[in-house]
Amino acid sequence: PVRYNQLSLVPFILLIDPGASPTTRAGMGWEEFQARRLVYNDERNEFQKVNAIQAALKHHINEAIEPDFLKDLQQLISKTIEYPIHIVFETLFRKYGKINNKILPQRRTELEQYNYNASLPPDTIFNMLDEYEELTIHAESSITLPQKIDIGYTIFQDKGRFSRALRKWTQKNLPDKTWANFKILFQEASDEHIEFGAATAAEAHLFAQQTNYIAEQVAAQF
């Protein structure tokens, strides 16, 4: 509930089973009974919906997380999770939610040494950097925007085809060195490389055709 209240202004209320369907009692009119039944049906539907969502989440947790990490939550024989889902998440976050800060420099080194295949879209790099930034936030050791961009710059620097884009970035004024501008610049550089590569391949194919034609004409004369 505490973590939930940080995400939503709607109060956290764990729905309870509304029980058996309402019955009539002495002195109750038809309209009052129908109103009570409508309220009951709404409550029953919401309760069943919440239960179904909880069951689906528990199933995914059982499938996605190694059994050793779920021993405190699972039944001994059936291996099912009977606790309410908010207890499950609170337990997992409390025991395993803290990220070891030793992971951060290791992951940064992996990024800086990443051998980027320039035939892939630059979004490959941008997404990796966004994920790394999110990791540092959860580890309560957030990287700054210049640090994030420096890692991306290092990755693209290993590819000579981005040399012009790298020079353009270096020449930009500091206020213009935003994450959005970084992505736009290197996306455009990638698009230009793909277009140039396609044009070069087409020219090479045309040249080969012309060469073969001339060779055939010369051979026919002899």
Side-chain angles (χ1 to χ4, degrees), residues 93 97-99 101 133-142:
F93 272 110
K98 186 69 175 177
I99 296 174
N101 285 336
E133 181 183 30
E134 186 175 349
L135 182 67
T136 65
I137 292 172
H138 285 297
E140 300 179 355
S141 183
S142 304

Side-chain angles (χ1 to χ4, degrees), residues 51-117:
N51 271 0
I53 293 172
Q54 289 203 59
L57 287 172
K58 291 175 186 179
H59 173 75
H60 288 307
I61 289 171
N62 265 330
E63 291 290 324
I65 299 178
E66 294 292 331
D68 287 345
F69 298 103
L70 297 174
K71 286 182 178 179
D72 292 343
L73 296 167
Q74 292 177 328
Q75 292 293 321
L76 185 61
I77 304 300
S78 65
K79 303 300 181 184
T80 57
I81 299 175
E82 302 295 339
Y83 292 97
I85 197 65
H86 71 280
I87 298 296
V88 175
F89 282 128
E90 286 175 357
T91 302
L92 292 174
F93 272 110
R94 184 179 67 254
K95 296 185 68 174
Y96 310 113
K98 186 69 175 177
I99 296 174
N100 189 338
N101 285 336
K102 293 179 181 179
I103 296 175
L104 301 182
Q106 176 185 342
R107 181 57 180 150
R108 176 164 183 162
T109 300
E110 291 174 355
L111 286 171
E112 292 173 339
Q113 296 177 353
Y114 180 73
N115 185 19
Y116 170 54
N117 181 353

Side-chain angles (χ1 to χ4, degrees), residues 182-201:
F182 183 83
K183 293 196 292 184
I184 290 171
L185 178 62
F186 285 93
Q187 181 63 63
E188 289 175 348
S190 176
D191 293 343
E192 289 175 5
H193 168 70
I194 293 172
E195 291 175 6
F196 176 77
T200 302

Side-chain angles (χ1 to χ4, degrees), residues 2-74:
V2 175
R3 190 177 296 273
Y4 176 89
N5 290 335
Q6 296 173 354
L7 304 175
S8 174
L9 297 177
V10 180
F12 179 88
I13 300 175
L14 187 63
L15 297 184
I16 60 174
D17 189 338
S21 178
T23 57
T24 59
R25 65 172 184 268
M28 179 183 292
W30 175 253
E31 291 183 356
E32 181 183 355
F33 173 71
Q34 290 298 319
R36 287 188 62 192
R37 191 169 68 172
L38 287 175
V39 171
Y40 170 82
N41 288 340
D42 287 341
E43 291 176 349
R44 168 60 62 183
N45 288 336
E46 285 299 309
F47 178 74
Q48 291 176 340
K49 189 187 302 181
V50 168
N51 271 0
I53 293 172
Q54 289 203 59
L57 287 172
K58 291 175 186 179
H59 173 75
H60 288 307
I61 289 171
N62 265 330
E63 291 290 324
I65 299 178
E66 294 292 331
D68 287 345
F69 298 103
L70 297 174
K71 286 182 178 179
D72 292 343
L73 296 167
Q74 292 177 328

Side-chain angles (χ1 to χ4, degrees), residues 174-222:
L174 187 60
D176 295 327
K177 290 186 174 181
T178 64
W179 180 234
N181 286 341
F182 183 83
K183 293 196 292 184
I184 290 171
L185 178 62
F186 285 93
Q187 181 63 63
E188 289 175 348
S190 176
D191 293 343
E192 289 175 5
H193 168 70
I194 293 172
E195 291 175 6
F196 176 77
T200 302
E203 291 173 0
H205 180 67
L206 178 61
F207 178 76
Q209 286 182 322
Q210 292 173 338
T211 302
N212 289 337
Y213 175 77
I214 293 171
E216 290 171 358
Q217 293 298 314
V218 171
Q221 292 179 2
F222 289 97

